Amino acid sequence: MSWGETLATGWHAIRAHSMRSLLTVLGILIGIAAVILTVGLGLGTQKDVSASISSLGSNLLIVSPGSTTSSAGIRGGFGSSTTLTTSDADALSSKTAAPDVEAVAAEKSASESLVNGDTNWTTTVVGTSTSWLDVRSRTVSEGRFLNAADENDRTTNVVLGSETATELFGSPRAVGRTLTINDVTFTVVGVLESAGSSTSDNLDDTAVVPMSTMQNTIVGGTSRTAVSTVYVKAVGTDEISAAYQETQNLLLNLHGITDADDADFTVSSQDALVSTATSVYRTLTVLLTGIAALSLLVGGIGVMNIMLVSVTERTREIGLRKALGAPPVAIRRQFLTEASVLGLGGGLIGAALGIASAKLLPSVLDSSIIVSPTAVVGSIVIAVGIGLVFGVYPAVRAARLAPIDALRSE
Amino acid sequence: MTATLTGPSASAASATPPVIDLRAGRKTYTTGSITFEALRGVDVRIERGEYVAIMGPSGSGKSTLMNVLGCLDVLTSGSYRLAGHDVGDLDEVELAQIRNEEIGFVFQQFHLLPSLASWRNVELPLMYRGVPRHERRERAALALERVGLGDRLDNRPGELSGGQQQRVAVARALVGEPALILADEPTGNLDTSSTEDVLALFDELHAQGRTIVLITHEPEVAERARRVVRVRDGLIQGDGPASALHDDRGYLHHPTSHDDDTQEIR
Ligand SMILES: Nc1ncnc2c1ncn2[C@@H]1O[C@H](COP(=O)(O)OP(=O)(O)O)[C@@H](O)[C@H]1O
Ligand SMILES: [Mg+2]
């Protein structure tokens, strides 16, 4: 009896009880779909995170006020304190003090209402310098970006994100139009090229104004020199760690802190962000994989159960085949094949389900799912393996039946 | 087999070993602490080309004997040679092989696989012998033609009458050209006309030189054989030509009262 025929016989036996077989492989089916989705979700979020991080700009260090170390409570919460100022950003721009830093852009941001006649739109207003465009790797699709004159004269010029422009003026072609922020009238001088949205924020919904205008006209108050973030762009990829050191040391000096553990700011690189983000998703993936493994185990036990039922039901068939000369190995092979075909069936349907869900779910979850061919093939192999492993015991039982007892059974 | 198509018993006596050579065969069943001796020292010798009926009342040990002769079960003591092979010291795999090559079974309950077409049922013995698929189909078709079911190759057992199903089973017993066709109550589940069909088929096969051993408790069936072996309480009680049945019908009902000296030592 060739392998092809053994396989055909197995398929035949399963088809004879298609409903029962389908219910049996439900566990495997769900498990396999879960494996494919889990791997896909992991890969997808990893891609999303990398995309959102690279959308920040390349070779970038991010300096935030506050500390992430144990002294954070004393120094003020991460990202919310006022320990980082425009003078820090100015110091970092010095070529002599920080030779590996190419450009620096401080951001002072606040959520404000933008008004055009009856239209009202709340967005993040960012005060920054002319270097921002280069540091954040953005381009202007229309008009111009802020220039030195805007900064020096505290002009009320604004550059809008494409979505903000559309919300306020019905199209991104908004250069020359005016709007008001806190009752001050601003003129749109440029619109940013769309950069898409990342998981954390929408890069196309923003309004950029000169830092001087932000400090004096929009925010004001006592902490007007404080900034939310300083973006530091290194000269090149190889200089990132040197730029990190220079930034760290310069700021410690400026703030009069001797021990780096007491720092009232945090310098992070994209690499660090990527690895924190991916480690979170790795944990999630491990968790989901555990669930997948559990349903596969349950599925395997289901296969074993139904194969034992099948052996009992077909005792006479086994007896007859043995009487006709089937050696134990042929009987064993027949039942093992049947169990593997069950596993394969569950694997294939599960893979189809997993791939279909991977196409449908992202719109609901707001996260990409990447179907990995390796995961699909691998999980089908796993499904067959599960059928095989859990089929061993029933198959051995079948092969051990004595032909006379088996023939006699009713 | 083709060489012995005519006059089988004459040619068999000289060179070929007997198909069945059972000596002092004993079989003891043990169920818990109870032991029961179903065969109590049985000697049977059957030559190539013979048509033998094994008769006896229910519980006399016929099926036990059939299982031993069919290599489905092994003796507790004694020796059994099937077509020259000593069966006594064969393992499970070797027994499977000898059943496959030397014996064609016909059962009372037909034992056809209901999900398989006739020809697929018939090809089963060849499948476990590694015969290539196309040859199996050809040979299965020939065997089905031989039993008069050449037009029913693709029908499943459920689509056939009882008599036709038993003829499919006979085709399955024939297809591997075994030394022996062993039938246990083959007409037990059949009506009169189907019984006649199947028995006519056995007559034909016997005429073609096949060795047939048929187990039955019906005298009408046994009398079609050339030789009748009578079993009672695990012992051979009589062995002689079937014609003797006609003389002593009553014997079957009162076997102990009959003095059977026609038994030959073969
Ligand atoms: N597996 C077994 N275990 C115990 N006793 C058995 C077994 N098979 C048959 N017997 C006993 O052996 C005797 C002969 O049985 P069997 O060969 O089936 O007789 P027959 O076929 O002539 O009716 C019966 O008394 C039966 O109860
Ligand atoms: Mg019986």
Side-chain angles (χ1 to χ4, degrees):
Chain A
M1 201 167 176
S2 72
W3 276 109
E5 281 180 324
T6 313
L7 212 67
T9 309
W11 178 235
H12 193 85
I14 287 163
R15 276 252 313 272
H17 301 281
S18 40
M19 189 61 189
R20 183 172 94 183
S21 305
L22 188 69
L23 290 175
T24 298
V25 299
L26 215 55
I28 292 190
L29 191 154
I30 292 167
I32 294 302
V35 167
I36 289 171
L37 279 182
T38 307
V39 174
L41 200 66
L43 291 174
T45 33
Q46 227 167 70
K47 194 198 85 178
D48 287 349
V49 168
S50 325
S52 83
I53 283 166
S54 68
S55 73
L56 288 172
S58 47
N59 302 334
L60 213 56
L61 294 169
I62 301 132
V63 188
S64 321
S67 166
T68 50
T69 65
S70 53
S71 56
I74 305 159
R75 300 285 174 187
F78 178 64
S80 67
S81 94
T82 55
T83 52
L84 212 57
T85 63
T86 43
S87 52
D88 290 330
D90 292 341
L92 286 168
S93 311
S94 156
K95 266 288 161 220
T96 42
D100 292 302
V101 171
E102 185 185 296
V104 177
E107 277 187 8
K108 183 180 182 66
S109 45
S111 188
E112 297 290 346
S113 266
L114 278 55
V115 183
N116 167 38
D118 294 335
T119 317
N120 209 309
W121 184 248
T122 303
T123 187
T124 312
V125 177
V126 177
T128 190
S129 55
T130 54
S131 57
W132 184 88
L133 205 62
D134 168 43
V135 170
R136 295 295 306 266
S137 302
R138 298 294 295 267
T139 50
V140 167
S141 65
E142 204 190 333
R144 62 169 179 85
F145 194 65
L146 305 170
N147 56 29
D150 289 317
E151 177 64 29
N152 294 334
D153 303 343
R154 294 185 197 168
T155 61
T156 52
N157 287 340
V158 63
V159 175
L160 296 180
S162 55
E163 195 177 317
T164 318
T166 307
E167 289 294 342
L168 282 168
F169 302 107
S171 104
R173 311 188 63 82
V175 172
R177 307 290 296 266
T178 57
L179 55 90
T180 59
I181 307 172
N182 288 351
D183 296 329
V184 179
T185 304
F186 281 77
T187 308
V188 179
V189 293
V191 176
L192 294 167
E193 185 82 57
S194 171
S197 61
S198 71
T199 42
S200 51
D201 56 356
N202 186 346
L203 295 169
D204 291 331
D205 186 13
T206 189
V208 186
V209 298
M211 180 62 93
S212 51
T213 312
M214 185 73 181
Q215 286 170 331
N216 298 292
T217 316
I218 298 178
V219 182
T222 48
S223 59
R224 62 182 57 191
T225 60
V227 297
S228 348
T229 315
V230 177
Y231 290 95
V232 176
K233 187 182 185 179
V235 175
T237 313
D238 294 339
E239 286 80 14
I240 289 180
S241 63
Y244 182 97
Q245 285 306 322
E246 289 160 15
T247 305
Q248 179 87 9
N249 294 339
L250 192 63
L251 293 181
L252 285 175
N253 257 333
L254 283 172
H255 297 193
I257 298 164
T258 46
D259 188 349
D261 286 345
D262 298 333
D264 55 2
F265 59 89
T266 307
V267 184
S268 51
S269 67
Q270 297 169 76
D271 283 351
L273 285 180
V274 173
S275 66
T276 341
T278 52
S279 85
V280 168
Y281 289 110
R282 197 165 297 134
T283 315
L284 196 70
T285 305
V286 166
L287 192 77
L288 288 172
T289 309
I291 292 167
L294 210 65
S295 46
L296 288 179
L297 179 73
V298 170
I301 292 169
V303 167
M304 179 147 91
N305 180 49
I306 214 69
M307 289 309 296
L308 285 172
V309 169
S310 175
V311 169
T312 308
E313 278 178 353
R314 284 151 69 196
T315 303
R316 273 152 72 101
E317 174 185 335
I318 296 163
L320 173 75
R321 287 181 184 271
K322 290 190 120 185
L324 298 182
V329 64
I331 302 292
R332 210 155 44 226
R333 198 163 74 176
Q334 185 187 336
F335 281 89
L336 275 180
T337 307
E338 210 173 303
S340 314
V341 171
L342 268 180
L344 178 69
L348 288 176
I349 304 173
L353 188 72
I355 291 169
S357 322
K359 298 268 173 275
L360 296 175
L361 279 181
S363 54
V364 184
L365 287 181
D366 197 29
S367 158
S368 352
I369 299 179
I370 298 172
V371 175
S372 140
T374 322
V376 172
V377 173
S379 59
I380 290 171
V381 170
I382 290 172
V384 174
I386 285 172
L388 202 62
V389 166
F390 285 91
V392 167
Y393 175 64
V396 166
R397 276 207 16 183
R400 282 214 192 114
L401 282 175
I404 29 169
D405 296 339
L407 277 175
R408 239 202 315 262
S409 90
E410 284 313 314
Chain B
M1 289 305 290
T2 42
T4 58
L5 270 177
T6 50
S9 40
S11 64
S14 52
T16 32
V19 173
I20 285 172
D21 188 0
L22 175 68
R23 295 181 191 188
R26 288 175 179 273
K27 178 71 190 177
T28 309
Y29 291 115
T30 309
T31 320
S33 57
I34 305 156
T35 60
F36 181 83
E37 200 166 31
L39 296 180
R40 301 189 288 155
V42 174
D43 294 282
V44 186
R45 206 175 137 137
I46 296 172
E47 299 293 343
R48 203 157 283 262
E50 279 197 277
Y51 183 3
V52 181
I54 294 177
M55 275 202 77
S58 182
S60 57
K62 302 185 300 293
S63 292
T64 305
L65 184 57
M66 140 112 182
N67 290 339
V68 168
L69 297 181
C71 300
L72 291 168
D73 207 351
V74 288
L75 288 170
T76 311
S77 74
S79 83
Y80 175 40
R81 296 179 79 85
L82 173 68
H85 308 278
D86 191 343
V87 170
D89 38 40
L90 297 183
D91 65 19
E92 201 184 348
V93 176
E94 291 164 325
L95 283 175
Q97 192 185 346
I98 206 161
R99 284 198 297 270
N100 182 265
E101 288 171 359
E102 307 291 3
I103 302 165
F105 289 98
V106 180
F107 302 96
Q108 180 175 359
Q109 307 90 331
F110 319 146
H111 282 314
L112 297 174
L113 299 185
S115 65
L116 300 184
S118 304
W119 80 268
R120 286 210 167 270
N121 268 289
V122 172
E123 69 159 358
L124 284 173
L126 301 179
M127 202 154 78
Y128 293 116
R129 205 184 283 186
V131 175
R133 190 189 158 92
H134 59 93
E135 188 187 332
R136 289 202 309 253
R137 188 176 162 115
E138 250 166 53
R139 285 172 68 173
L142 277 176
L144 280 166
E145 252 165 56
R146 186 128 168 226
V147 301
L149 292 174
D151 55 344
R152 291 281 191 274
L153 296 191
D154 295 314
N155 290 76
R156 293 185 181 189
E159 299 158 3
L160 301 174
S161 73
Q164 287 173 324
Q165 290 186 47
Q166 194 60 305
R167 273 145 66 196
V168 172
V170 173
R172 182 180 63 195
L174 287 175
V175 76
E177 301 287 329
L180 172 68
I181 291 173
L182 201 51
D184 188 6
E185 309 267 10
T187 58
N189 283 356
L190 298 181
D191 60 30
T192 335
S193 85
S194 299
T195 297
E196 182 45 42
D197 282 355
V198 170
L199 292 179
L201 187 56
F202 281 139
D203 285 345
E204 246 172 73
L205 294 172
H206 170 62
Q208 288 164 353
R210 300 277 180 173
T211 313
I212 301 166
V213 173
L214 183 151
I215 289 169
T216 185
H217 65 272
E218 296 169 83
E220 296 80 5
V221 174
E223 73 193 7
R224 301 289 285 260
R226 296 295 175 274
R227 177 183 158 199
V228 178
V229 174
R230 298 187 190 92
V231 183
R232 188 177 176 92
D233 295 334
L235 287 167
I236 302 276
Q237 252 210 344
D239 191 341
S243 50
L245 277 173
H246 292 289
D247 309 334
D248 325 293
R249 267 271 162 104
Y251 159 84
L252 293 161
H253 305 287
H254 310 284
T256 42
S257 70
H258 189 88
D259 170 43
D260 194 343
D261 274 336
T262 56
Q263 180 173 356
E264 311 163 39
I265 305 303
R266 290 172 185 261

